[in-house]
Amino acid sequence: MVMVQDAPGERRARQEAGHWVVGVDGSSCAEKALQWAVVNAPGRATGLELVTAWQTPSVAAYPMSSPTPVFDDAELRATAASDLSAVADRFHDQVDIPVDSALGHGGAAEVLLAAGEQAGMLVLGSRGRGGFARLLLGSTSTQCATHATVPTVVVPGEVEVGRVQRILVGFDGSPNSLAAMNWALDFAGAGATIVAVWVWDATPLAVGSDAFFFPDASDLAAERFHHLLEPIDERATAAGVTIEREFVRGTPRAALSSHAEDVDLVVVGARGHGAVGSALLGSVSTWMLHHVHRPIAVIPIDDD
């Protein structure tokens, strides 16, 4: 893979400056992701970098009896560069921040993850050019959302793009949800609303062949929910952001997907990068990515 890498100090500065990397591959989903980035960049980002991956087709895909095809790498690279330049030129005048482009050699996920390490945020479509129409989430977006070390926004191709004003955060007091809440607060501009939803799962637990235990500690959970949000409320007030608190009895998937219908962005936390060596999404976050038709931001935490 060929990508230009920054020194650690330069990379940190670009992260703090709000440098956004946007995956571009000619697909309608990538186009929607770029539109989302352009609409939401003002006041939040200081620069956009459009990134495209190119690679030589695999010879193994051709029958052994056929002549070995010869690919002109220079032509493939030039075509990818030309397409990328055309996209960058089209969006260059739509934002008042620099719009740059970068071409990487390798698989799409590999190139985007490398580029994301130099950025403050990674934005990509839910499906790439090679995705199956029946799948909401493609392999590239799955790998990036799972393994990216920076916040990653996945934008479905069918959403109506607009300025993010209402943000949903599933909050349960865990480090993952705290990271998601803090990121949402930093991302939200003055006048925006964050809907913090704590779902108390009242599903009975089986303790025997015909016996069930019904946990009844929702009052304590609600008290903790409000207690943990107090310092966040103070920050939100100072920033001109409204926090709406929702304590819900139910199942996390059903409750969060229902609340997602009324927001512009869903924010979920990813597990950290410590013992397992790579970010792993929780089951609820993974389900949301595959089933909720809203832009979703996945926020990693560093638990080294």
Side-chain angles (χ1 to χ4, degrees), residues 4-217:
V4 177
Q5 299 292 336
D6 290 330
E10 295 173 330
R11 182 180 70 185
R12 189 178 305 111
R14 292 176 72 175
Q15 289 177 334
E16 294 172 354
H19 183 82
W20 293 5
V21 165
V22 185
V24 177
D25 68 357
S27 67
S28 59
C29 282
E31 177 82 5
K32 191 61 66 74
L34 182 51
Q35 292 174 5
W36 185 93
V38 167
V39 168
N40 286 283
R44 294 183 173 120
T46 57
L48 299 179
E49 182 176 14
L50 314 188
V51 176
T52 285
W54 73 278
Q55 60 185 143
T56 305
S58 174
V59 175
Y62 293 84
M64 294 183 63
S65 58
S66 301
T68 301
V70 177
F71 297 100
D72 186 342
D73 283 0
E75 183 177 347
L76 290 172
R77 187 185 189 283
T79 299
S82 176
D83 292 344
L84 178 60
S85 178
V87 174
D89 289 344
R90 183 156 49 90
F91 283 89
H92 188 273
D93 295 332
Q94 297 187 25
V95 289
D96 293 328
I97 56 176
V99 178
D100 300 318
S101 60
L103 194 62
H105 182 233
E110 178 188 14
V111 168
L112 288 172
L113 286 170
E117 291 180 356
Q118 307 175 60
M121 189 165 76
L122 177 62
V123 183
L124 64 157
S126 58
R127 277 199 315 274
R129 188 165 49 188
F132 293 98
R134 64 181 176 84
L135 298 178
L136 176 62
L137 201 66
S139 61
T140 297
S141 50
T142 298
Q143 291 180 58
C144 289
T146 302
H147 298 289
T149 57
V150 297
T152 300
V153 177
V154 179
V155 182
E158 67 276 13
V159 301
E160 183 176 345
V161 170
R163 181 79 172 174
V164 171
Q165 292 293 330
R166 193 170 176 84
I167 302 172
L168 170 65
V169 179
F171 186 78
D172 62 5
S174 66
N176 298 336
S177 67
L178 284 168
M181 178 61 73
N182 285 314
W183 183 89
L185 185 52
D186 290 336
F187 183 85
T193 298
I194 296 176
V195 184
V197 179
W198 184 305
V199 183
W200 178 254
D201 192 347
T203 304
L205 305 175
V207 295
S209 59
D210 57 357
F212 294 88
F213 168 63
F214 293 83
D216 186 18

Side-chain angles (χ1 to χ4, degrees), residues 251-274:
T251 58
R253 293 179 180 180
L256 292 175
S257 61
S258 176
H259 280 78
E261 296 176 1
D262 190 36
V263 301
D264 307 309
L265 178 68
V266 178
V267 182
V268 298
R271 293 174 186 162
H273 296 74

